[in-house]
Amino acid sequence: MDVVGVDIGFGFTKATDGKESILFKSVLGEAADIQFRLPIVKNEAGPCMHVEMDGRAYFVGDFAEQHSDTREFTLDQEKLLTEFNKVLTMTAISNLFDSYANVNLVTGLPVGFYKEDNQRLMKMLKGIHEITFHKGDGTSESKRVNINNLKILPQPLGSFLNLLMNESGKFINRELAKQKIGIIDIGFRTTDCCVFQGMEYVQRGSSTFNTGISESFRAIAKKLREESNVDIELYRLYKAVETGLIRIRGKEYNITKLRDKVFEHSASIIATDIARLWANDWDIDLIIISGGGAMELAKYLRPLISGNIMPVETNIDARLNNVQGYLKYARYIWGSSEPPAEPVKK
């Protein structure tokens, strides 16, 4: 029985089975007939993102962004759960396996939606799913995914478990497990905060705030619309935010100062929310900043947070912290001897 970790975020979908990992944008598009492809372009080594499930065909991730006339991207938790989650999960898992995947799965939900959506997601994912992949060479391949066992965690717990365990799911940081830990998991739409004391979940210090990096992206998109008269989808701003530059209709716009300003504003809001939430948790031993949003906001947020903050490693992709923790936990509860993951396929 294989074990898999999957993390469905508003921004990105992440999955790993320990042998390889996959990461793609959480975007679905209407499948279109691509009439021509240059034979010199070889895409088959990467993940297949033209899928069909439950009688409907989709382009997924960057493939949808490039080829679909109609694209869907959501910042609504209900829509992400009911319309996106299953397609994104099965697309990710199926790209990690051949024709049949019999897996034990660990995935997660935002803290604020865990109680409400836990059983709904369980019913949605557990069992057998059929998915068809349509390849660039015109051939199709049908796959079957059987979710045999399923464990759903509050999302930030993945980052904590990633620090506590090795690749085999063995506890290697017993001292950390005894401490009171605060986790700030910055996502695209939300920021999840959790407190664990001696590995016990502390409800009082755990919550979800509706402030992620999407608010900053939205402010950047608004300014660019004013200057260029072009509406830019939020999920197309990642590269521009990273480099500080974007080219629109042949003209280059420098957004470095704007980016820094809006990130400082978002960090200030998050810091205020955390200070209020953790007002009685002044005895936290260590604060961990994680999540995809940490890659952008951590340097703005750290000076605003009081406490012992674990340094954010810049040589790793923080978007994978939760999903790697999910896999380690899957190995802890179900067992596996698989080797560490290969580099991420994007």
Side-chain angles (χ1 to χ4, degrees):
M1 185 74 63
D2 291 288
V3 293
V4 180
V6 174
D7 182 19
I8 305 297
F10 290 97
F12 287 89
T13 293
K14 294 79 65 176
T16 180
D17 65 348
K19 291 171 286 189
E20 56 183 330
S21 300
I22 185 171
L23 181 151
F24 55 87
K25 291 178 182 177
S26 297
V27 178
L28 298 179
E30 181 182 7
D33 183 16
I34 301 177
Q35 299 182 30
F36 177 76
R37 292 192 183 190
L38 282 173
I40 60 174
V41 178
K42 303 293 184 181
N43 290 324
E44 292 309 305
C48 185
M49 291 298 176
H50 180 185
V51 305
E52 189 171 349
M53 279 190 69
D54 300 328
R56 182 176 176 184
Y58 305 87
F59 287 168
V60 183
D62 285 336
F63 200 63
E65 181 180 329
Q66 294 163 1
H67 297 292
S68 295
D69 291 328
T70 303
R71 298 176 295 272
E72 294 185 77
F73 164 79
T74 187
L75 295 176
D76 180 77
Q77 171 63 22
E78 179 67 17
K79 189 170 183 178
L80 183 71
L81 180 74
T82 59
E83 299 181 25
F84 283 69
N85 196 295
K86 186 169 75 169
V87 177
L88 296 174
T89 297
M90 298 309 153
T91 299
I93 293 176
S94 297
N95 267 291
L96 296 174
F97 295 93
D98 293 326
S99 59
Y100 180 69
N102 190 27
V103 302
N104 292 332
L105 171 66
V106 174
T107 188
L109 283 167
V111 174
F113 299 101
Y114 181 81
K115 183 177 180 181
E116 176 183 352
D117 294 338
N118 178 35
Q119 290 303 312
R120 297 171 67 198
L121 184 59
M122 183 79 67
K123 293 177 181 178
M124 189 182 303
L125 296 183
K126 200 168 182 181
I128 297 175
H129 306 270
E130 304 281 351
I131 184 169
T132 300
F133 285 83
H134 301 286
K135 301 181 180 181
D137 61 4
T139 64
S140 298
E141 180 183 9
S142 294
K143 296 188 178 185
R144 175 177 291 184
V145 178
N146 178 31
I147 307 298
N148 185 57
N149 289 304
L150 175 61
K151 184 71 175 178
I152 303 172
L153 305 176
Q155 281 176 343
L157 181 53
S159 293
F160 188 32
L161 294 170
N162 192 37
L163 292 173
L164 291 177
M165 296 176 170
N166 64 14
E167 298 296 339
S168 299
K170 306 290 186 182
F171 280 90
I172 57 172
N173 200 332
R174 299 282 179 180
E175 190 59 35
L176 186 64
K178 298 176 184 177
Q179 296 178 352
K180 187 171 184 178
I181 306 297
I183 304 171
I184 304 169
D185 183 18
I186 307 171
F188 192 73
R189 182 219 170 204
T190 61
T191 293
D192 277 336
C193 295
C194 278
V195 173
F196 292 90
Q197 187 162 18
M199 288 297 295
E200 182 178 351
Y201 177 80
V202 180
Q203 178 64 47
R204 181 192 64 208
S206 303
S207 186
T208 295
F209 302 124
N210 290 320
T211 305
I213 60 170
S214 64
E215 290 299 316
S216 298
F217 277 42
R218 187 176 284 111
I220 293 171
K222 179 181 178 182
K223 183 64 174 178
L224 288 171
R225 183 175 63 250
E226 292 172 357
E227 296 185 3
S228 68
N229 201 33
V230 174
D231 286 310
I232 300 175
E233 300 94 331
L234 300 188
Y235 58 84
R236 299 182 70 178
L237 282 173
Y238 289 105
K239 190 65 176 179
V241 167
E242 179 184 347
T243 63
L245 299 171
I246 186 171
R247 188 174 293 275
I248 304 173
R249 304 200 191 283
K251 181 179 178 181
E252 187 172 80
Y253 295 82
N254 189 320
I255 63 169
T256 304
K257 291 183 179 179
L258 174 62
R259 175 197 63 192
D260 292 345
K261 180 180 179 181
V262 296
F263 279 170
E264 286 174 359
H265 179 67
S266 292
S268 176
I269 294 173
I270 293 172
T272 300
D273 288 337
I274 291 170
R276 188 182 306 112
L277 179 67
W278 289 351
N280 294 316
D281 294 298
W282 44 263
D283 56 342
I284 289 176
D285 295 300
L286 181 67
I287 296 172
I288 300 166
I289 301 177
S290 185
M295 300 167 66
E296 287 86 8
L297 285 186
K299 71 176 182 178
Y300 305 95
L301 183 61
R302 286 192 65 189
L304 305 178
I305 301 292
S306 299
N308 181 25
I309 301 175
M310 175 177 286
V312 177
E313 297 185 48
T314 57
N315 61 336
I316 63 172
D317 192 334
R319 293 173 297 184
L320 299 174
N321 286 344
N322 281 337
V323 75
Q324 288 172 344
Y326 296 163
L327 179 68
K328 291 176 180 180
Y329 185 66
R331 289 175 170 168
Y332 171 76
I333 57 179
W334 293 307
S336 176
S337 57
E338 296 294 344
E342 296 289 330
V344 177
K345 292 197 291 189
K346 296 184 181 180

Coordinates of all heavy atoms in Angstrom, one line a residue, residues 54-111:
D54 N -15.7 12.3 -14.1 CA -17.2 12.4 -13.9 C -17.9 13.0 -15.1 O -18.8 13.9 -14.9 CB -17.5 13.2 -12.6 CG -16.9 12.6 -11.4 OD1 -16.8 11.3 -11.3 OD2 -16.5 13.3 -10.4
G55 N -17.4 12.7 -16.3 CA -18.0 13.1 -17.5 C -17.7 14.5 -17.9 O -18.2 15.1 -18.9
R56 N -16.7 15.2 -17.3 CA -16.3 16.5 -17.7 C -14.8 16.6 -17.9 O -14.0 16.0 -17.1 CB -16.7 17.5 -16.6 CG -16.3 18.9 -16.9 CD -16.8 19.9 -15.9 NE -16.4 21.3 -16.2 CZ -16.6 22.3 -15.4 NH1 -17.2 22.2 -14.2 NH2 -16.2 23.5 -15.7
A57 N -14.3 17.3 -18.9 CA -12.9 17.4 -19.2 C -12.4 18.7 -18.7 O -13.1 19.8 -18.8 CB -12.7 17.3 -20.7
Y58 N -11.1 18.7 -18.2 CA -10.5 19.9 -17.7 C -9.1 20.0 -18.2 O -8.4 19.1 -18.4 CB -10.4 19.8 -16.1 CG -11.7 19.6 -15.4 CD1 -12.1 18.3 -15.2 CD2 -12.4 20.6 -14.9 CE1 -13.3 18.1 -14.4 CE2 -13.6 20.4 -14.1 CZ -14.0 19.1 -13.9 OH -15.1 18.9 -13.2
F59 N -8.6 21.3 -18.3 CA -7.2 21.6 -18.3 C -6.9 22.1 -16.9 O -7.7 22.8 -16.3 CB -6.9 22.7 -19.3 CG -6.9 22.3 -20.8 CD1 -6.9 23.3 -21.8 CD2 -7.0 21.0 -21.1 CE1 -6.9 22.9 -23.1 CE2 -7.0 20.6 -22.5 CZ -7.0 21.6 -23.4
V60 N -5.7 21.7 -16.4 CA -5.4 22.0 -15.0 C -4.1 22.8 -14.9 O -3.2 22.5 -15.7 CB -5.3 20.7 -14.2 CG1 -5.0 20.9 -12.7 CG2 -6.6 19.8 -14.4
G61 N -4.0 23.7 -13.9 CA -2.8 24.4 -13.6 C -2.3 25.3 -14.7 O -3.1 26.0 -15.3
D62 N -1.0 25.3 -15.0 CA -0.5 26.2 -16.0 C -1.0 25.9 -17.4 O -1.2 26.8 -18.2 CB 1.1 26.0 -16.1 CG 1.8 26.7 -14.9 OD1 1.2 27.7 -14.3 OD2 2.9 26.4 -14.6
F63 N -1.4 24.6 -17.6 CA -2.0 24.2 -18.9 C -3.3 24.9 -19.1 O -3.6 25.3 -20.2 CB -2.1 22.7 -18.9 CG -2.3 22.1 -20.3 CD1 -1.2 22.2 -21.2 CD2 -3.4 21.4 -20.7 CE1 -1.3 21.7 -22.5 CE2 -3.5 20.9 -22.0 CZ -2.5 21.0 -22.9
A64 N -4.1 25.0 -18.1 CA -5.3 25.8 -18.2 C -5.1 27.3 -18.4 O -5.7 27.9 -19.2 CB -6.2 25.6 -16.9
E65 N -4.1 27.8 -17.7 CA -3.8 29.2 -17.9 C -3.3 29.5 -19.3 O -3.7 30.6 -19.9 CB -2.6 29.6 -16.9 CG -2.2 31.0 -17.0 CD -1.1 31.3 -16.0 OE1 -1.0 30.7 -14.9 OE2 -0.3 32.2 -16.3
Q66 N -2.6 28.6 -19.9 CA -2.1 28.8 -21.3 C -3.2 28.6 -22.4 O -3.2 29.3 -23.4 CB -0.9 27.9 -21.5 CG 0.3 28.2 -20.7 CD 1.3 27.1 -20.6 OE1 1.1 26.0 -21.3 NE2 2.4 27.2 -19.9
H67 N -4.0 27.6 -22.2 CA -4.8 27.1 -23.3 C -6.4 27.3 -23.2 O -7.1 27.2 -24.2 CB -4.6 25.7 -23.6 CG -3.1 25.4 -24.0 ND1 -2.6 25.8 -25.2 CD2 -2.1 24.7 -23.3 CE1 -1.4 25.4 -25.3 NE2 -1.0 24.8 -24.2
S68 N -6.9 27.5 -22.0 CA -8.3 27.6 -21.8 C -8.9 29.0 -22.0 O -8.3 29.9 -21.4 CB -8.7 27.1 -20.4 OG -8.4 25.7 -20.2
D69 N -10.0 29.1 -22.7 CA -10.7 30.3 -22.9 C -11.4 30.7 -21.6 O -11.4 31.9 -21.1 CB -11.7 30.3 -24.0 CG -11.0 30.2 -25.4 OD1 -10.0 30.8 -25.5 OD2 -11.6 29.6 -26.3
T70 N -11.9 29.7 -20.9 CA -12.6 29.9 -19.6 C -11.8 29.2 -18.5 O -11.6 28.0 -18.6 CB -14.0 29.3 -19.7 OG1 -14.8 29.9 -20.8 CG2 -14.8 29.6 -18.4
R71 N -11.4 30.0 -17.6 CA -10.6 29.5 -16.5 C -11.3 29.7 -15.1 O -11.9 30.8 -15.0 CB -9.2 30.1 -16.5 CG -8.4 29.8 -17.7 CD -7.0 30.5 -17.7 NE -7.2 31.9 -17.7 CZ -7.3 32.6 -18.8 NH1 -7.2 32.0 -20.0 NH2 -7.4 34.0 -18.8
E72 N -11.1 28.8 -14.2 CA -11.7 29.0 -12.9 C -10.6 29.0 -11.8 O -9.8 28.1 -11.8 CB -12.7 27.9 -12.6 CG -14.0 27.9 -13.5 CD -15.0 26.9 -13.1 OE1 -15.7 27.1 -12.1 OE2 -15.0 25.8 -13.8
F73 N -10.7 30.0 -11.0 CA -9.8 30.1 -9.8 C -10.6 30.7 -8.7 O -11.4 31.6 -8.9 CB -8.6 31.0 -10.3 CG -7.8 31.6 -9.1 CD1 -6.9 30.8 -8.5 CD2 -8.0 32.9 -8.6 CE1 -6.1 31.3 -7.5 CE2 -7.3 33.3 -7.6 CZ -6.3 32.5 -7.0
T74 N -10.5 30.1 -7.5 CA -11.4 30.6 -6.5 C -10.7 30.9 -5.2 O -9.6 30.4 -4.9 CB -12.4 29.5 -6.2 OG1 -13.4 30.0 -5.3 CG2 -11.8 28.2 -5.6
L75 N -11.2 31.9 -4.5 CA -10.8 32.2 -3.1 C -11.9 31.9 -2.1 O -11.9 32.4 -1.0 CB -10.4 33.7 -3.0 CG -9.2 34.1 -3.9 CD1 -8.9 35.6 -3.8 CD2 -7.9 33.3 -3.4
D76 N -12.9 31.1 -2.6 CA -14.0 30.7 -1.7 C -13.8 29.3 -1.2 O -13.7 28.4 -2.0 CB -15.3 30.9 -2.5 CG -16.5 30.5 -1.7 OD1 -17.0 31.3 -0.9 OD2 -17.0 29.4 -1.9
Q77 N -13.8 29.1 0.1 CA -13.6 27.8 0.7 C -14.6 26.8 0.2 O -14.3 25.6 -0.1 CB -13.5 27.9 2.2 CG -13.5 26.6 2.9 CD -12.2 25.8 2.6 OE1 -11.2 26.3 2.2 NE2 -12.3 24.5 2.9
E78 N -15.9 27.2 0.2 CA -16.9 26.2 -0.2 C -16.7 25.8 -1.6 O -16.9 24.6 -1.9 CB -18.3 26.9 0.0 CG -19.5 26.0 -0.4 CD -19.7 24.8 0.5 OE1 -19.1 24.8 1.6 OE2 -20.4 23.9 0.1
K79 N -16.4 26.7 -2.5 CA -16.2 26.3 -3.9 C -15.0 25.5 -4.1 O -14.9 24.5 -4.9 CB -16.1 27.6 -4.8 CG -16.1 27.3 -6.3 CD -16.3 28.5 -7.1 CE -16.4 28.2 -8.6 NZ -16.6 29.4 -9.4
L80 N -13.9 25.8 -3.4 CA -12.7 25.0 -3.4 C -12.9 23.6 -3.0 O -12.5 22.6 -3.6 CB -11.6 25.6 -2.5 CG -10.2 24.9 -2.6 CD1 -9.5 25.2 -3.9 CD2 -9.3 25.4 -1.4
L81 N -13.7 23.4 -2.0 CA -14.1 22.1 -1.4 C -14.9 21.3 -2.4 O -14.6 20.2 -2.7 CB -14.8 22.2 -0.1 CG -15.2 20.9 0.6 CD1 -13.9 20.2 1.1 CD2 -16.2 21.1 1.7
T82 N -16.0 21.9 -2.9 CA -17.0 21.2 -3.6 C -16.7 21.0 -5.1 O -17.1 20.1 -5.8 CB -18.4 21.8 -3.4 OG1 -18.4 23.1 -3.9 CG2 -18.8 21.8 -2.0
E83 N -16.0 22.0 -5.7 CA -15.8 22.0 -7.2 C -14.4 21.8 -7.6 O -14.2 21.4 -8.7 CB -16.3 23.3 -7.8 CG -17.8 23.6 -7.5 CD -18.3 24.9 -8.1 OE1 -17.6 25.4 -9.1 OE2 -19.3 25.5 -7.6
F84 N -13.4 22.0 -6.7 CA -12.0 21.9 -7.1 C -11.3 20.8 -6.5 O -10.5 20.1 -7.1 CB -11.3 23.2 -6.7 CG -11.5 24.4 -7.6 CD1 -12.8 25.0 -7.7 CD2 -10.5 24.9 -8.4 CE1 -13.0 26.1 -8.5 CE2 -10.7 26.0 -9.2 CZ -12.0 26.6 -9.3
N85 N -11.6 20.5 -5.2 CA -10.7 19.6 -4.4 C -10.5 18.2 -5.0 O -9.4 17.8 -5.1 CB -11.2 19.5 -3.0 CG -10.2 19.0 -2.0 OD1 -9.8 17.8 -2.1 ND2 -9.8 19.8 -1.1
K86 N -11.6 17.6 -5.4 CA -11.5 16.2 -5.9 C -10.7 16.2 -7.2 O -9.8 15.3 -7.4 CB -12.9 15.6 -6.1 CG -12.8 14.1 -6.4 CD -14.1 13.4 -6.3 CE -15.0 13.7 -7.5 NZ -16.2 12.9 -7.6
V87 N -11.0 17.1 -8.1 CA -10.3 17.1 -9.4 C -8.8 17.3 -9.2 O -7.9 16.6 -9.7 CB -10.9 18.1 -10.3 CG1 -10.1 18.2 -11.6 CG2 -12.3 17.8 -10.6
L88 N -8.5 18.3 -8.3 CA -7.1 18.6 -8.1 C -6.3 17.5 -7.4 O -5.2 17.2 -7.7 CB -7.0 19.9 -7.3 CG -7.5 21.2 -7.9 CD1 -7.5 22.4 -6.9 CD2 -6.7 21.6 -9.2
T89 N -7.0 16.9 -6.4 CA -6.4 15.8 -5.6 C -6.1 14.6 -6.5 O -5.0 14.0 -6.5 CB -7.3 15.4 -4.5 OG1 -7.5 16.5 -3.6 CG2 -6.7 14.2 -3.7
M90 N -7.1 14.2 -7.3 CA -6.9 13.0 -8.2 C -6.0 13.3 -9.3 O -5.2 12.4 -9.7 CB -8.3 12.6 -8.7 CG -9.3 12.2 -7.7 SD -8.5 11.0 -6.5 CE -9.5 11.3 -5.0
T91 N -5.9 14.5 -9.8 CA -4.9 14.9 -10.9 C -3.5 14.7 -10.3 O -2.6 14.1 -10.9 CB -5.2 16.3 -11.4 OG1 -6.5 16.4 -12.0 CG2 -4.1 16.7 -12.4
A92 N -3.3 15.2 -9.1 CA -2.0 15.2 -8.5 C -1.6 13.7 -8.2 O -0.5 13.3 -8.5 CB -2.0 16.0 -7.2
I93 N -2.5 13.0 -7.6 CA -2.1 11.6 -7.2 C -1.9 10.7 -8.5 O -0.9 10.0 -8.5 CB -3.3 10.9 -6.4 CG1 -3.3 11.6 -5.0 CG2 -3.0 9.4 -6.2 CD1 -4.5 11.1 -4.1
S94 N -2.7 10.9 -9.4 CA -2.6 10.1 -10.7 C -1.3 10.3 -11.4 O -0.8 9.5 -12.1 CB -3.8 10.3 -11.6 OG -5.0 9.9 -10.9
N95 N -0.8 11.6 -11.3 CA 0.4 11.9 -12.0 C 1.6 11.2 -11.3 O 2.7 11.2 -11.8 CB 0.6 13.4 -12.1 CG 0.1 14.0 -13.4 OD1 0.7 13.7 -14.4 ND2 -1.0 14.7 -13.3
L96 N 1.4 10.7 -10.0 CA 2.5 10.1 -9.3 C 2.6 8.6 -9.5 O 3.5 8.0 -9.1 CB 2.4 10.4 -7.8 CG 2.5 11.9 -7.4 CD1 2.1 12.0 -5.9 CD2 3.9 12.4 -7.7
F97 N 1.5 8.0 -10.1 CA 1.4 6.6 -10.2 C 1.1 6.2 -11.7 O 0.7 7.0 -12.5 CB 0.3 6.0 -9.3 CG 0.7 6.2 -7.8 CD1 0.2 7.3 -7.1 CD2 1.4 5.3 -7.2 CE1 0.5 7.5 -5.8 CE2 1.7 5.5 -5.8 CZ 1.3 6.6 -5.1
D98 N 1.2 4.9 -11.9 CA 0.8 4.3 -13.2 C -0.7 4.2 -13.3 O -1.5 5.0 -12.7 CB 1.5 3.0 -13.5 CG 3.0 3.3 -13.6 OD1 3.4 4.3 -14.2 OD2 3.8 2.4 -13.2
S99 N -1.2 3.1 -13.9 CA -2.6 3.0 -14.2 C -3.5 2.8 -12.9 O -4.7 3.1 -13.0 CB -2.9 1.8 -15.2 OG -2.4 0.6 -14.6
Y100 N -2.9 2.2 -11.8 CA -3.7 2.0 -10.7 C -3.0 2.4 -9.4 O -1.8 2.1 -9.2 CB -4.1 0.5 -10.5 CG -4.9 0.2 -9.3 CD1 -6.3 0.6 -9.2 CD2 -4.4 -0.6 -8.3 CE1 -7.0 0.3 -8.1 CE2 -5.2 -0.9 -7.1 CZ -6.5 -0.4 -7.1 OH -7.2 -0.7 -6.0
A101 N -3.6 3.2 -8.6 CA -3.0 3.7 -7.4 C -3.9 3.3 -6.2 O -5.1 3.7 -6.1 CB -2.9 5.2 -7.4
N102 N -3.4 2.5 -5.3 CA -4.1 2.0 -4.1 C -3.4 2.7 -2.9 O -2.3 2.3 -2.6 CB -4.1 0.5 -4.0 CG -5.0 0.0 -2.9 OD1 -5.9 0.6 -2.5 ND2 -4.6 -1.2 -2.4
V103 N -3.9 3.8 -2.4 CA -3.1 4.6 -1.5 C -3.8 4.9 -0.2 O -5.1 4.8 0.0 CB -2.8 6.0 -2.2 CG1 -2.1 5.8 -3.5 CG2 -4.1 6.8 -2.4
N104 N -3.0 5.2 0.8 CA -3.4 5.7 2.1 C -3.0 7.2 2.0 O -1.8 7.5 1.8 CB -2.8 5.1 3.3 CG -3.2 3.6 3.5 OD1 -4.4 3.3 3.1 ND2 -2.4 2.8 4.0
L105 N -4.0 8.1 2.2 CA -3.8 9.5 2.0 C -3.9 10.3 3.3 O -4.8 10.1 4.1 CB -4.8 10.0 1.0 CG -4.9 11.5 0.7 CD1 -3.7 12.0 0.0 CD2 -6.2 11.8 -0.1
V106 N -3.0 11.3 3.4 CA -3.1 12.4 4.4 C -3.2 13.7 3.7 O -2.4 14.0 2.8 CB -1.9 12.4 5.4 CG1 -2.0 13.6 6.3 CG2 -1.8 11.1 6.2
T107 N -4.2 14.5 4.0 CA -4.4 15.8 3.5 C -4.8 16.7 4.6 O -4.8 16.3 5.8 CB -5.4 15.7 2.3 OG1 -5.4 17.0 1.7 CG2 -6.8 15.4 2.8
G108 N -5.2 18.0 4.3 CA -5.5 18.9 5.3 C -6.5 19.9 4.9 O -6.9 20.0 3.8
L109 N -7.0 20.6 6.0 CA -8.0 21.7 5.8 C -7.6 22.9 6.6 O -6.9 22.7 7.7 CB -9.4 21.2 6.2 CG -10.2 20.3 5.3 CD1 -11.4 19.7 6.0 CD2 -10.7 21.1 4.1
P110 N -8.0 24.1 6.2 CA -7.7 25.3 7.1 C -8.3 25.1 8.5 O -9.3 24.5 8.6 CB -8.4 26.4 6.4 CG -8.4 26.0 4.9 CD -8.6 24.5 5.0
V111 N -7.6 25.6 9.5 CA -8.1 25.5 10.9 C -9.5 25.9 11.1 O -10.3 25.2 11.7 CB -7.1 26.3 11.8 CG1 -7.7 26.3 13.2 CG2 -5.7 25.7 11.8

